[in-house]
PDB file of all heavy atoms in Angstrom:
ATOM      1  N   SER A 163      -0.919 -11.469  -5.586  1.00  0.00           N
ATOM      2  CA  SER A 163      -0.848 -11.383  -4.134  1.00  0.00           C
ATOM      3  C   SER A 163       0.456 -10.735  -3.692  1.00  0.00           C
ATOM      4  O   SER A 163       0.501 -10.063  -2.642  1.00  0.00           O
ATOM      5  CB  SER A 163      -0.991 -12.773  -3.508  1.00  0.00           C
ATOM      6  OG  SER A 163       0.027 -13.663  -3.982  1.00  0.00           O
ATOM      7  N   LYS A 164       1.524 -10.943  -4.443  1.00  0.00           N
ATOM      8  CA  LYS A 164       2.799 -10.316  -4.126  1.00  0.00           C
ATOM      9  C   LYS A 164       2.671  -8.791  -4.073  1.00  0.00           C
ATOM     10  O   LYS A 164       3.107  -8.136  -3.127  1.00  0.00           O
ATOM     11  CB  LYS A 164       3.866 -10.700  -5.154  1.00  0.00           C
ATOM     12  CG  LYS A 164       5.181  -9.952  -4.975  1.00  0.00           C
ATOM     13  CD  LYS A 164       6.060 -10.027  -6.193  1.00  0.00           C
ATOM     14  CE  LYS A 164       6.638 -11.413  -6.381  1.00  0.00           C
ATOM     15  NZ  LYS A 164       7.637 -11.450  -7.486  1.00  0.00           N
ATOM     16  N   TYR A 165       2.049  -8.235  -5.088  1.00  0.00           N
ATOM     17  CA  TYR A 165       1.948  -6.776  -5.197  1.00  0.00           C
ATOM     18  C   TYR A 165       0.942  -6.198  -4.206  1.00  0.00           C
ATOM     19  O   TYR A 165       1.152  -5.118  -3.661  1.00  0.00           O
ATOM     20  CB  TYR A 165       1.599  -6.398  -6.637  1.00  0.00           C
ATOM     21  CG  TYR A 165       2.573  -6.987  -7.626  1.00  0.00           C
ATOM     22  CD1 TYR A 165       2.144  -7.881  -8.608  1.00  0.00           C
ATOM     23  CD2 TYR A 165       3.938  -6.726  -7.551  1.00  0.00           C
ATOM     24  CE1 TYR A 165       3.038  -8.439  -9.506  1.00  0.00           C
ATOM     25  CE2 TYR A 165       4.858  -7.302  -8.425  1.00  0.00           C
ATOM     26  CZ  TYR A 165       4.398  -8.159  -9.408  1.00  0.00           C
ATOM     27  OH  TYR A 165       5.272  -8.730 -10.286  1.00  0.00           O
ATOM     28  N   LEU A 166      -0.115  -6.937  -3.949  1.00  0.00           N
ATOM     29  CA  LEU A 166      -1.074  -6.497  -2.927  1.00  0.00           C
ATOM     30  C   LEU A 166      -0.416  -6.471  -1.557  1.00  0.00           C
ATOM     31  O   LEU A 166      -0.567  -5.528  -0.777  1.00  0.00           O
ATOM     32  CB  LEU A 166      -2.296  -7.406  -2.940  1.00  0.00           C
ATOM     33  CG  LEU A 166      -3.380  -7.158  -1.872  1.00  0.00           C
ATOM     34  CD1 LEU A 166      -3.807  -5.715  -1.855  1.00  0.00           C
ATOM     35  CD2 LEU A 166      -4.558  -8.069  -2.123  1.00  0.00           C
ATOM     36  N   ALA A 167       0.354  -7.516  -1.245  1.00  0.00           N
ATOM     37  CA  ALA A 167       1.020  -7.579   0.061  1.00  0.00           C
ATOM     38  C   ALA A 167       2.043  -6.460   0.226  1.00  0.00           C
ATOM     39  O   ALA A 167       2.153  -5.866   1.304  1.00  0.00           O
ATOM     40  CB  ALA A 167       1.701  -8.938   0.230  1.00  0.00           C
ATOM     41  N   LEU A 168       2.770  -6.132  -0.831  1.00  0.00           N
ATOM     42  CA  LEU A 168       3.732  -5.040  -0.742  1.00  0.00           C
ATOM     43  C   LEU A 168       3.069  -3.707  -0.448  1.00  0.00           C
ATOM     44  O   LEU A 168       3.588  -2.897   0.306  1.00  0.00           O
ATOM     45  CB  LEU A 168       4.541  -4.960  -2.039  1.00  0.00           C
ATOM     46  CG  LEU A 168       5.593  -6.064  -2.272  1.00  0.00           C
ATOM     47  CD1 LEU A 168       6.116  -5.998  -3.707  1.00  0.00           C
ATOM     48  CD2 LEU A 168       6.740  -5.937  -1.274  1.00  0.00           C
ATOM     49  N   GLN A 169       1.899  -3.494  -1.022  1.00  0.00           N
ATOM     50  CA  GLN A 169       1.179  -2.259  -0.754  1.00  0.00           C
ATOM     51  C   GLN A 169       0.707  -2.179   0.697  1.00  0.00           C
ATOM     52  O   GLN A 169       0.811  -1.147   1.335  1.00  0.00           O
ATOM     53  CB  GLN A 169      -0.022  -2.130  -1.707  1.00  0.00           C
ATOM     54  CG  GLN A 169       0.342  -1.911  -3.146  1.00  0.00           C
ATOM     55  CD  GLN A 169      -0.854  -2.066  -4.044  1.00  0.00           C
ATOM     56  OE1 GLN A 169      -1.602  -1.113  -4.283  1.00  0.00           O
ATOM     57  NE2 GLN A 169      -1.062  -3.266  -4.570  1.00  0.00           N
ATOM     58  N   ILE A 170       0.172  -3.280   1.197  1.00  0.00           N
ATOM     59  CA  ILE A 170      -0.292  -3.289   2.591  1.00  0.00           C
ATOM     60  C   ILE A 170       0.875  -3.076   3.537  1.00  0.00           C
ATOM     61  O   ILE A 170       0.798  -2.308   4.527  1.00  0.00           O
ATOM     62  CB  ILE A 170      -1.057  -4.584   2.898  1.00  0.00           C
ATOM     63  CG1 ILE A 170      -2.374  -4.620   2.119  1.00  0.00           C
ATOM     64  CG2 ILE A 170      -1.325  -4.732   4.376  1.00  0.00           C
ATOM     65  CD1 ILE A 170      -3.156  -5.921   2.255  1.00  0.00           C
ATOM     66  N   LYS A 171       2.009  -3.729   3.250  1.00  0.00           N
ATOM     67  CA  LYS A 171       3.206  -3.544   4.079  1.00  0.00           C
ATOM     68  C   LYS A 171       3.644  -2.070   4.029  1.00  0.00           C
ATOM     69  O   LYS A 171       4.009  -1.488   5.075  1.00  0.00           O
ATOM     70  CB  LYS A 171       4.317  -4.447   3.598  1.00  0.00           C
ATOM     71  CG  LYS A 171       5.617  -4.325   4.406  1.00  0.00           C
ATOM     72  CD  LYS A 171       5.445  -4.819   5.844  1.00  0.00           C
ATOM     73  CE  LYS A 171       6.771  -4.819   6.605  1.00  0.00           C
ATOM     74  NZ  LYS A 171       6.648  -5.353   7.969  1.00  0.00           N
ATOM     75  N   ALA A 172       3.611  -1.478   2.871  1.00  0.00           N
ATOM     76  CA  ALA A 172       4.020  -0.063   2.741  1.00  0.00           C
ATOM     77  C   ALA A 172       3.077   0.826   3.534  1.00  0.00           C
ATOM     78  O   ALA A 172       3.500   1.821   4.156  1.00  0.00           O
ATOM     79  CB  ALA A 172       4.051   0.350   1.276  1.00  0.00           C
ATOM     80  N   CYS A 173       1.787   0.516   3.535  1.00  0.00           N
ATOM     81  CA  CYS A 173       0.837   1.267   4.361  1.00  0.00           C
ATOM     82  C   CYS A 173       1.173   1.109   5.843  1.00  0.00           C
ATOM     83  O   CYS A 173       1.131   2.085   6.589  1.00  0.00           O
ATOM     84  CB  CYS A 173      -0.589   0.780   4.101  1.00  0.00           C
ATOM     85  SG  CYS A 173      -1.273   1.205   2.490  1.00  0.00           S
ATOM     86  N   GLU A 174       1.506  -0.099   6.264  1.00  0.00           N
ATOM     87  CA  GLU A 174       1.863  -0.340   7.648  1.00  0.00           C
ATOM     88  C   GLU A 174       3.113   0.432   8.051  1.00  0.00           C
ATOM     89  O   GLU A 174       3.250   0.858   9.203  1.00  0.00           O
ATOM     90  CB  GLU A 174       2.059  -1.831   7.879  1.00  0.00           C
ATOM     91  CG  GLU A 174       0.790  -2.654   7.860  1.00  0.00           C
ATOM     92  CD  GLU A 174      -0.134  -2.313   9.041  1.00  0.00           C
ATOM     93  OE1 GLU A 174       0.133  -2.793  10.151  1.00  0.00           O
ATOM     94  OE2 GLU A 174      -1.078  -1.527   8.837  1.00  0.00           O
ATOM     95  N   LEU A 175       4.007   0.618   7.108  1.00  0.00           N
ATOM     96  CA  LEU A 175       5.260   1.356   7.382  1.00  0.00           C
ATOM     97  C   LEU A 175       5.052   2.869   7.296  1.00  0.00           C
ATOM     98  O   LEU A 175       5.965   3.636   7.611  1.00  0.00           O
ATOM     99  CB  LEU A 175       6.338   0.929   6.386  1.00  0.00           C
ATOM    100  CG  LEU A 175       6.853  -0.499   6.489  1.00  0.00           C
ATOM    101  CD1 LEU A 175       7.715  -0.849   5.293  1.00  0.00           C
ATOM    102  CD2 LEU A 175       7.600  -0.715   7.804  1.00  0.00           C
ATOM    103  N   GLY A 176       3.886   3.298   6.830  1.00  0.00           N
ATOM    104  CA  GLY A 176       3.630   4.730   6.674  1.00  0.00           C
ATOM    105  C   GLY A 176       4.204   5.285   5.373  1.00  0.00           C
ATOM    106  O   GLY A 176       4.295   6.506   5.194  1.00  0.00           O
ATOM    107  N   TRP A 177       4.593   4.436   4.467  1.00  0.00           N
ATOM    108  CA  TRP A 177       5.162   4.860   3.197  1.00  0.00           C
ATOM    109  C   TRP A 177       4.076   5.182   2.155  1.00  0.00           C
ATOM    110  O   TRP A 177       4.346   5.802   1.152  1.00  0.00           O
ATOM    111  CB  TRP A 177       6.051   3.780   2.595  1.00  0.00           C
ATOM    112  CG  TRP A 177       7.268   3.468   3.397  1.00  0.00           C
ATOM    113  CD1 TRP A 177       7.617   3.979   4.623  1.00  0.00           C
ATOM    114  CD2 TRP A 177       8.319   2.552   3.044  1.00  0.00           C
ATOM    115  NE1 TRP A 177       8.795   3.441   5.048  1.00  0.00           N
ATOM    116  CE2 TRP A 177       9.265   2.567   4.095  1.00  0.00           C
ATOM    117  CE3 TRP A 177       8.550   1.726   1.952  1.00  0.00           C
ATOM    118  CZ2 TRP A 177      10.410   1.784   4.092  1.00  0.00           C
ATOM    119  CZ3 TRP A 177       9.699   0.945   1.931  1.00  0.00           C
ATOM    120  CH2 TRP A 177      10.620   0.986   2.983  1.00  0.00           C
ATOM    121  N   LEU A 178       2.858   4.748   2.412  1.00  0.00           N
ATOM    122  CA  LEU A 178       1.807   4.804   1.397  1.00  0.00           C
ATOM    123  C   LEU A 178       0.477   5.083   2.057  1.00  0.00           C
ATOM    124  O   LEU A 178       0.120   4.426   3.036  1.00  0.00           O
ATOM    125  CB  LEU A 178       1.755   3.461   0.655  1.00  0.00           C
ATOM    126  CG  LEU A 178       0.859   3.334  -0.584  1.00  0.00           C
ATOM    127  CD1 LEU A 178       1.350   4.244  -1.694  1.00  0.00           C
ATOM    128  CD2 LEU A 178       0.860   1.873  -1.040  1.00  0.00           C
ATOM    129  N   PRO A 179      -0.307   6.083   1.567  1.00  0.00           N
ATOM    130  CA  PRO A 179      -1.657   6.264   2.102  1.00  0.00           C
ATOM    131  C   PRO A 179      -2.517   5.036   1.843  1.00  0.00           C
ATOM    132  O   PRO A 179      -2.291   4.298   0.885  1.00  0.00           O
ATOM    133  CB  PRO A 179      -2.186   7.473   1.322  1.00  0.00           C
ATOM    134  CG  PRO A 179      -0.969   8.127   0.752  1.00  0.00           C
ATOM    135  CD  PRO A 179       0.036   7.047   0.533  1.00  0.00           C
ATOM    136  N   ARG A 180      -3.537   4.826   2.684  1.00  0.00           N
ATOM    137  CA  ARG A 180      -4.346   3.624   2.563  1.00  0.00           C
ATOM    138  C   ARG A 180      -5.395   3.693   1.474  1.00  0.00           C
ATOM    139  O   ARG A 180      -6.105   2.732   1.209  1.00  0.00           O
ATOM    140  CB  ARG A 180      -5.023   3.318   3.895  1.00  0.00           C
ATOM    141  CG  ARG A 180      -4.045   2.881   4.960  1.00  0.00           C
ATOM    142  CD  ARG A 180      -4.755   2.373   6.193  1.00  0.00           C
ATOM    143  NE  ARG A 180      -3.770   2.189   7.258  1.00  0.00           N
ATOM    144  CZ  ARG A 180      -3.951   2.567   8.509  1.00  0.00           C
ATOM    145  NH1 ARG A 180      -5.091   3.146   8.857  1.00  0.00           N
ATOM    146  NH2 ARG A 180      -3.031   2.368   9.404  1.00  0.00           N
ATOM    147  N   ALA A 181      -5.553   4.861   0.863  1.00  0.00           N
ATOM    148  CA  ALA A 181      -6.492   4.980  -0.273  1.00  0.00           C
ATOM    149  C   ALA A 181      -5.765   5.644  -1.404  1.00  0.00           C
ATOM    150  O   ALA A 181      -4.853   6.440  -1.203  1.00  0.00           O
ATOM    151  CB  ALA A 181      -7.745   5.759   0.110  1.00  0.00           C
ATOM    152  N   ASP A 182      -6.176   5.349  -2.624  1.00  0.00           N
ATOM    153  CA  ASP A 182      -5.557   5.908  -3.811  1.00  0.00           C
ATOM    154  C   ASP A 182      -6.239   7.233  -4.126  1.00  0.00           C
ATOM    155  O   ASP A 182      -7.444   7.277  -4.399  1.00  0.00           O
ATOM    156  CB  ASP A 182      -5.701   4.940  -4.975  1.00  0.00           C
ATOM    157  CG  ASP A 182      -5.019   5.427  -6.233  1.00  0.00           C
ATOM    158  OD1 ASP A 182      -4.219   6.370  -6.135  1.00  0.00           O
ATOM    159  OD2 ASP A 182      -5.310   4.871  -7.310  1.00  0.00           O
ATOM    160  N   ALA A 183      -5.480   8.318  -4.097  1.00  0.00           N
ATOM    161  CA  ALA A 183      -6.080   9.636  -4.291  1.00  0.00           C
ATOM    162  C   ALA A 183      -6.732   9.774  -5.651  1.00  0.00           C
ATOM    163  O   ALA A 183      -7.773  10.383  -5.802  1.00  0.00           O
ATOM    164  CB  ALA A 183      -4.999  10.704  -4.116  1.00  0.00           C
ATOM    165  N   ALA A 184      -6.108   9.179  -6.683  1.00  0.00           N
ATOM    166  CA  ALA A 184      -6.668   9.271  -8.035  1.00  0.00           C
ATOM    167  C   ALA A 184      -8.029   8.577  -8.116  1.00  0.00           C
ATOM    168  O   ALA A 184      -8.971   9.113  -8.665  1.00  0.00           O
ATOM    169  CB  ALA A 184      -5.706   8.684  -9.050  1.00  0.00           C
ATOM    170  N   SER A 185      -8.124   7.375  -7.541  1.00  0.00           N
ATOM    171  CA  SER A 185      -9.407   6.693  -7.562  1.00  0.00           C
ATOM    172  C   SER A 185     -10.411   7.366  -6.671  1.00  0.00           C
ATOM    173  O   SER A 185     -11.624   7.296  -6.890  1.00  0.00           O
ATOM    174  CB  SER A 185      -9.225   5.205  -7.164  1.00  0.00           C
ATOM    175  OG  SER A 185      -8.694   5.096  -5.864  1.00  0.00           O
ATOM    176  N   ASP A 186      -9.948   8.050  -5.641  1.00  0.00           N
ATOM    177  CA  ASP A 186     -10.847   8.787  -4.760  1.00  0.00           C
ATOM    178  C   ASP A 186     -11.535   9.920  -5.536  1.00  0.00           C
ATOM    179  O   ASP A 186     -12.724  10.194  -5.340  1.00  0.00           O
ATOM    180  CB  ASP A 186     -10.088   9.357  -3.577  1.00  0.00           C
ATOM    181  CG  ASP A 186     -10.990  10.057  -2.564  1.00  0.00           C
ATOM    182  OD1 ASP A 186     -12.114   9.559  -2.371  1.00  0.00           O
ATOM    183  OD2 ASP A 186     -10.578  11.112  -2.032  1.00  0.00           O
TER     184      ASP A 186
END
């Protein structure tokens, strides 16, 4: 949950796209 939360926070900050390009 720690790592999932960090990703969502990064998305909220605009640091990270909301989908993974490689998995896309």
Side-chain angles (χ1 to χ4, degrees):
S163 59
K164 173 196 289 187
Y165 306 119
L166 176 51
L168 287 169
Q169 292 169 87
I170 292 176
K171 180 67 175 183
C173 289
E174 288 293 281
L175 294 169
W177 295 5
L178 188 64
R180 291 189 190 136
D182 183 15
S185 60
D186 184 37

